Each structure stands twice: as C-alpha cells, then as structure tokens.
Amino acid sequence: TKASFLSLAQAGRPALKQVETQPNLGRSHLQAGETHNYAAAFPTSGPHSLTWTKPGVYDTPQSPTMLVHALEHGNIVIYYDKPPADVKDQLAAWAGLYTGQWDGVVLTPGAGLGQGIVLTAWRKVLKQDRFDAAAAAAFIDEFRGRGPEHPVR
C-alpha cells in the first residue's frame, strides 16, 4: 500500500545523503530517428527522444533517450539486472503504486548490476550494491514528480 511505502520511505531518509547530483546536460529534444550516446551508463539529463518510456515494469532494456525524457517528466527510473525475486517483486509493486505520466516509476533492465540496482531521477542517482528497501523508497518519495518539464509536487 502507499501508506506502508511512505512509512518505509520515512525510515530511509538518512540514506538520501548518499544520492549523487549529476551535471545538467540539458533538456533538448532529438529529431525523430536521431540517437544520442550518453557518457553515463545511467543518464539523468541531456538530449532525449520526443517520446518517453511510460511508467511500468519492463523485461527488456528501454531506449536511454526515452528514459531520459521520462526523467524530465518527473518519473523515477530503476535499473535492475539479476535481483533476487523478492526484490524485483517489491520494485514491481512500487511501480504499480505510481503510474502517472508526471510522477511514475519505470523498472527496466540495466546490464552489469548483478543483484544491485540503480535509481535515477532528473540529475539524481542512488546506486545500491545490495537492495536497501528503505533507502530506495526514500529516493522515490523525495524525487518522484520533480522533473523540470512538469513538476507536480
């Protein structure tokens, strides 16, 4: 439930000190068919597609240019590789709680993370080698809905 998620997020707030703020690489839109190679494995800003990845759970990697546009909207993008089943189930449940175009959660594969996850928001990153539910919930609660294109919170 959202109430249990918010309670967990409150407990994880001290972990927000571990969040990295990335440089602002801009918000320009690419032309249809144009691509962009990001320097970061998990980009948090920069030129991006005219379309965005909709909130939800994906089993195949999503286009980085569409994920960056999702971040611009205020979505949280969570990358996973081979998490334990209970971790993926918990992340998927959270994605089901937050499905709005301007404040949703996207869960997508990210190669090379093993059991770790990476949470991203516009210009924000939290890397976890081992899943910390309270810290992850605090990140989602703090940054969800705060994208520059349509901040709703």
Side-chain angles (χ1 to χ4, degrees):
T1 67
K2 284 189 182 178
S4 60
F5 171 84
L6 294 173
S7 176
L8 187 61
Q10 189 60 35
R13 294 200 67 75
L16 293 176
K17 292 181 290 194
Q18 301 166 11
V19 173
E20 300 170 24
T21 299
Q22 303 296 309
N24 185 348
L25 301 177
R27 297 176 44 200
S28 63
H29 288 112
L30 299 167
Q31 296 304 309
E34 192 176 2
T35 61
H36 183 77
N37 291 320
Y38 298 97
F42 308 104
T44 62
S45 69
H48 52 271
S49 176
L50 292 168
T51 57
W52 55 93
T53 303
K54 291 180 172 49
V57 179
Y58 297 89
D59 292 324
T60 57
Q62 298 302 294
S63 162
T65 60
M66 290 176 64
L67 291 169
V68 169
H69 195 157
L71 296 176
E72 185 185 37
H73 277 208
N75 289 278
I76 301 296
V77 175
I78 305 171
Y79 297 89
Y80 70 92
D81 186 15
K82 299 171 186 162
D86 61 324
V87 170
K88 187 171 180 196
D89 290 347
Q90 184 165 17
L91 293 171
W94 291 351
L97 290 175
Y98 300 108
T99 60
Q101 174 180 338
W102 305 106
D103 62 351
V105 173
V106 177
L107 187 59
T108 185
L113 294 172
Q115 291 192 358
I117 65 166
V118 174
L119 297 102
T120 60
W122 186 259
R123 297 188 54 217
K124 303 291 182 186
V125 176
L126 178 62
K127 297 176 182 172
Q128 296 185 341
D129 292 333
R130 291 264 183 248
F131 180 62
D132 178 335
F139 181 95
I140 293 166
D141 186 55
E142 180 71 14
F143 299 111
R144 187 182 58 78
R146 298 183 189 266
E149 191 166 77
H150 186 80
V152 296
R153 290 179 44 181

